[in-house]
Amino acid sequence: TLASAVSAPFTGAMADRFGLRRTLRVGGVALIILSAGYAVLADYRLMLGLAVLHGLFWSAVLTASAAYMTGMLPAGRRAEGIAYWGLASVLALAVGPSVGFWIYQSGWMALCVVMTLLNLAVAVIAWRLPAEVDTDQLAPGAAIWIPEISLLEQEKVPVPVTSQSLLKTSDEKPTPGSSIRMSPSLWMK
């Protein structure tokens, strides 16, 4: 946890530089390897070293996932989406230790296997994420095709978008063939 907190500013800058999706993919694979590593190490000093590496990659995944999620939330529901993300984080902290101790009753290897499988799920999700588009780099009038993704409303509406239409401030609900209101600094596909 300390390594994760201390490295967050650096891993956040790294995610901005190398891309959120790439950071999530590399971090997810690294977490799989590190989680499996706990199962085979017997020396506590090596485990502590592994925990520092684990914290660095966890920080990268946490930062990149938060940035990616913020970029895909519709502007009109962004605060609500972030609130759900925060709720999930707090619930994980509240429930995780109890679940971990329950799994640990089956042994250290069982705990490491479950941890590895959960990180495998993170990596699979990262590989399935749509590519992000840095709209700051679009030429004026350039068109891209992105789906409007609303996890909160469970809908996907394909919408053609130009860099100029990203600046619209209308609160209208988008329909196929229309443009959507997005900030040019968002990461989208």
Side-chain angles (χ1 to χ4, degrees), residues 2 23-24 30 59 63 92-94 97 113 119 128 151 170 181-182:
L2 181 61
T23 302
L24 289 168
S59 174
T63 305
L93 288 172
V113 167
N119 286 311
R128 297 190 55 156
L151 296 178
S170 168
R181 179 175 63 107
M182 290 284 190

Side-chain angles (χ1 to χ4, degrees), residues 84-149:
Y84 282 119
W85 183 77
L87 174 65
S89 299
V90 171
L91 284 176
L93 288 172
V95 175
S98 296
V99 172
F101 282 125
W102 178 73
I103 295 169
Y104 184 66
Q105 289 177 355
S106 298
W108 177 249
M109 186 63 74
L111 184 63
C112 293
V113 167
V114 170
M115 204 167 59
T116 301
L117 291 175
L118 288 172
N119 286 311
L120 177 63
V122 168
V124 168
I125 290 168
W127 244 270
R128 297 190 55 156
L129 290 174
E132 64 229 41
V133 175
D134 185 355
T135 57
D136 288 336
Q137 303 300 316
L138 290 177
I144 57 174
W145 187 265
I146 65 169
E148 177 194 342
I149 299 174

Side-chain angles (χ1 to χ4, degrees), residues 135 138 141-148 156-168 174-182 188-189:
T135 57
L138 290 177
I144 57 174
W145 187 265
I146 65 169
E148 177 194 342
K156 293 183 180 181
V157 180
V159 180
V161 177
T162 67
S163 58
Q164 292 176 342
S165 67
L166 293 172
L167 300 173
K168 290 181 87 174
T175 58
S178 70
S179 27
I180 59 174
R181 179 175 63 107
M182 290 284 190
M188 302 175 289
K189 174 173 184 317

Side-chain angles (χ1 to χ4, degrees), residues 37-69:
Y38 289 115
V40 298
L41 292 177
D43 185 0
Y44 77 92
R45 291 171 294 225
L46 293 175
M47 277 195 195
L48 289 174
L50 195 66
V52 170
L53 283 175
H54 195 153
L56 293 172
F57 282 102
W58 176 249
S59 174
V61 168
L62 189 62
T63 305
S65 64
Y68 191 95
M69 180 223 35

